[in-house]
Amino acid sequence: MGDVRFTGNWNSVNAHTVPKWYEDCKFGIFIHWGIYSVPAFAPHTWELGEVDSKEWFADNPYAEWYYNSLNIGKGPTYKHHIEKYGKDFKYEDFIPMWKAENWDPKQWAEIFKEAGAEYVVLTTKHHDGFCLFPSKYTHFNSVEMGPKRNITGELTEAVRDAGIRMGLYYSGLIDWQYANDPIFEDDDLFGTASPTFAYADYSYNQMKELVDDYAPSVFWNDIGWPTQSEEMMPYFLAHYYNKVPEGVVNDRFNGRYYDFLTKEYKSGSVNRNEKWEMCRGMGLSFGYNANEGDDKLISVPNLISLLVGTVANNGNLLLNIGPKADGTIPEEQVRRLKILGAWLKVNHDGIYGTRCSDRESELLENGIELHYTQKDGNLNVFADHLKEGANEFLIKGYHGALRPFDPAVKVETEDTAEGLFVKIPEYKEDMYVVGLTNRF
Ligand code: GLC
């Protein structure tokens, strides 16, 4: 792969394939951190994909959209802002309040490591246009304002030192420094909110700047690419792959290109035959929303179910954290990461480096769901939605021995004509999804 040179045309770029590391790694951490982490407010409404876009933007649960929610001049965020900060307080006035005074990138990297993450994706510039890196092309960045630190550079170093791959998110289409008409519906995204030729040049330069300065393992573009410079897209991709042959990009390139497909909450369609990635926050927002306490976040059992169901169907999970403005990760988010990490440690070989099995996930009549993965000819079976106490199920058509990854889980099996009959006599809730393998 390292010898292939890409040139700036689609024929060349289309020859790029998904690298093995990205197929193997299964679990990454997404980070949304920015000016919006100061007000940290959004209504806790719905998941993306549950309502039409007009409803969505009027009651937007994404705290990182604070600027737009304010800009539309009505609704819960607008009301909150007027009440708490007053009419004259502008979004930019939050910048000096973002101090990141307790930020320790090494400590973040340790938490990600403990969570079992094999890659990280940081928002280097979200839709508000504020850059978390020193840029030759703007002063509107975290080194000159706010935290006064190169967040992208410092975190990239800490993450790589911890042996984790570093990826970068960039809001390719939307930048409210260049076009700040309010977004009321999806049509506005490529419409009134889509900026100028000047922005098309600016974003192209910045994307190259990010590639050249940080060589990210994932280039995670958001929403789309300025239509004014669409013909530059293969140039950028060729430049990226030449610099980072093992790099990957997502599917937000105006339908023109992808290495992997994305699903975000209930939005996006994916399939078992192509590599995909599920991304979501722990609550309904990516940016920190101080409204979302522990009870509003995804439960630990649901989080582990999400991971297993994703991996068994050819996906990676890119789980988002929303740090506070001071640079600490909210305790209820850290707790989830730690439990997930402990589960992943035990079930390691059934998840990392696996591929989805020929056996598709199945929901049994008793409510138990079975998921399968395979690796080097071995089969791994994950039993989800078990009940406290005794559980029984049949793995149809499978004949052979299985053992639990977790030696603390008691499992009895019996080979029958229809398949392997499995009994888990003493299931406890804190075992979460039970992983079994035929590798001894
Ligand atoms: C979205 C959103 C956004 C979030 C994201 C993550 O389209 O606009 O706020 O960063 O994508 O997938």
Side-chain angles (χ1 to χ4, degrees):
M1 208 181 201
D3 295 338
V4 181
R5 295 288 307 167
F6 294 92
T7 54
N9 63 67
W10 286 118
N11 269 347
S12 172
V13 166
N14 283 333
H16 186 263
T17 52
V18 180
K20 183 177 176 296
W21 78 265
Y22 186 78
E23 299 249 15
D24 284 347
C25 68
K26 309 303 181 194
F27 177 48
I29 301 280
F30 212 176
I31 306 168
H32 279 62
W33 198 29
I35 300 170
Y36 48 79
S37 311
V38 175
F41 180 93
H44 186 81
T45 44
W46 35 55
E47 294 193 7
L48 187 69
E50 280 182 341
V51 294
D52 75 58
S53 75
K54 279 189 187 145
E55 273 183 272
W56 171 267
F57 289 115
D59 250 329
N60 193 334
Y62 285 180
E64 69 277 14
W65 276 73
Y66 193 94
Y67 178 99
N68 189 68
S69 300
L70 192 57
N71 204 15
I72 61 179
K74 53 177 193 245
T77 300
Y78 177 76
K79 258 193 151 156
H80 167 84
H81 186 83
I82 301 302
E83 274 165 31
K84 185 154 181 196
Y85 304 101
K87 256 202 160 64
D88 299 329
F89 195 98
K90 292 192 294 297
Y91 182 75
E92 287 74 15
D93 294 333
F94 288 121
I95 299 172
M97 296 163 77
W98 181 24
K99 296 199 183 81
E101 65 274 24
N102 296 315
W103 184 50
D104 179 357
K106 281 206 173 63
Q107 198 195 354
W108 278 20
E110 276 163 30
I111 294 171
F112 304 156
K113 187 94 198 161
E114 196 183 338
E118 301 222 322
Y119 67 113
V120 168
V121 179
L122 169 74
T123 49
T124 62
K125 186 205 80 170
H126 205 265
H127 309 332
D128 63 9
F130 193 76
C131 298
L132 277 61
F133 58 100
S135 175
K136 286 199 284 271
Y137 306 102
T138 182
H139 296 291
F140 197 56
N141 70 65
S142 67
V143 178
E144 298 184 49
M145 298 174 194
K148 303 265 172 62
R149 287 169 78 171
N150 178 0
I151 292 168
T152 305
E154 287 190 48
L155 189 67
T156 298
E157 200 185 326
V159 162
R160 287 184 174 149
D161 283 351
I164 303 172
R165 298 208 186 227
M166 185 68 189
L168 304 179
Y169 162 112
Y170 185 83
S171 173
L173 183 70
I174 303 291
D175 190 316
W176 294 319
Q177 298 303 307
Y178 279 82
N180 62 3
D181 276 12
I183 295 165
F184 295 102
E185 56 180 308
D186 277 353
D187 286 350
D188 294 332
L189 294 170
F190 277 91
T192 51
S194 183
T196 54
F197 284 96
Y199 174 72
D201 275 349
Y202 172 79
S203 61
Y204 186 80
N205 286 332
Q206 280 203 325
M207 290 186 201
K208 278 187 73 178
E209 189 176 38
L210 288 170
V211 166
D212 292 341
D213 290 354
Y214 307 102
S217 294
V218 183
F219 190 90
W220 214 102
N221 188 48
D222 201 10
I223 312 259
W225 180 284
T227 47
Q228 295 88 341
S229 62
E230 247 190 32
E231 73 276 16
M232 298 298 285
M233 221 190 275
Y235 287 73
F236 168 73
L237 292 165
H239 180 75
Y240 174 46
Y241 295 142
N242 287 332
K243 174 91 183 171
V244 189
E246 296 233 300
V248 260
V249 302
N250 64 354
D251 58 353
R252 301 186 181 182
F253 289 87
N254 303 5
R256 301 287 296 269
Y257 185 82
Y258 59 86
D259 285 315
F260 62 88
L261 300 168
T262 60
K263 195 164 156 62
E264 180 174 334
Y265 292 93
K266 296 204 166 72
S267 166
S269 73
V270 296
N271 66 79
R272 284 166 62 90
N273 303 316
E274 293 180 282
K275 190 63 199 171
W276 60 278
E277 182 187 73
M278 167 81 203
C279 70
R280 60 160 290 163
M282 290 198 193
L284 301 179
S285 173
F286 286 90
Y288 176 53
N289 180 359
N291 268 339
E292 292 184 331
D294 195 48
D295 60 320
K296 297 264 182 7
L297 304 188
I298 187 170
S299 69
V300 174
N302 286 346
L303 183 56
I304 294 176
S305 298
L306 176 67
L307 175 78
V308 174
T310 299
V311 170
N313 287 288
N314 211 26
N316 287 354
L317 175 63
L318 183 64
L319 179 65
N320 181 78
I321 57 159
K324 293 184 182 177
D326 75 346
T328 57
I329 305 169
E331 188 250 319
E332 57 276 15
Q333 297 182 22
V334 175
R335 188 176 75 86
R336 282 165 175 76
L337 293 180
K338 287 192 171 165
I339 301 173
L340 185 59
W343 185 91
L344 273 167
K345 211 169 181 182
V346 172
N347 293 276
H348 185 281
D349 292 348
I351 300 290
Y352 299 107
T354 63
R355 296 293 179 270
C356 63
S357 162
D358 305 334
R359 286 174 172 270
E360 296 202 13
S361 301
E362 46 186 329
L363 184 60
L364 308 179
E365 269 169 29
N366 59 7
I368 294 173
E369 194 167 9
L370 300 180
H371 295 288
Y372 303 92
T373 65
Q374 59 183 22
K375 185 180 181 177
D376 308 327
N378 289 301
L379 179 71
N380 307 303
V381 184
F382 290 92
D384 196 4
H385 310 307
L386 300 172
K387 296 176 297 291
E388 188 89 21
N391 290 265
E392 297 176 347
F393 56 90
L394 179 78
I395 305 174
K396 255 194 218 139
Y398 176 75
H399 304 279
L402 286 177
R403 68 165 177 94
F405 282 110
D406 184 352
V409 180
K410 265 194 225 136
V411 177
E412 296 158 19
T413 57
E414 191 192 328
D415 207 356
T416 72
E418 300 109 280
L420 192 72
F421 185 74
V422 180
K423 194 169 171 187
I424 300 174
E426 292 163 37
Y427 176 78
K428 295 197 182 57
E429 261 170 26
D430 64 1
M431 293 172 175
Y432 306 110
V433 179
V434 169
L436 308 163
T437 182
N438 67 356
R439 184 197 205 121
F440 281 80

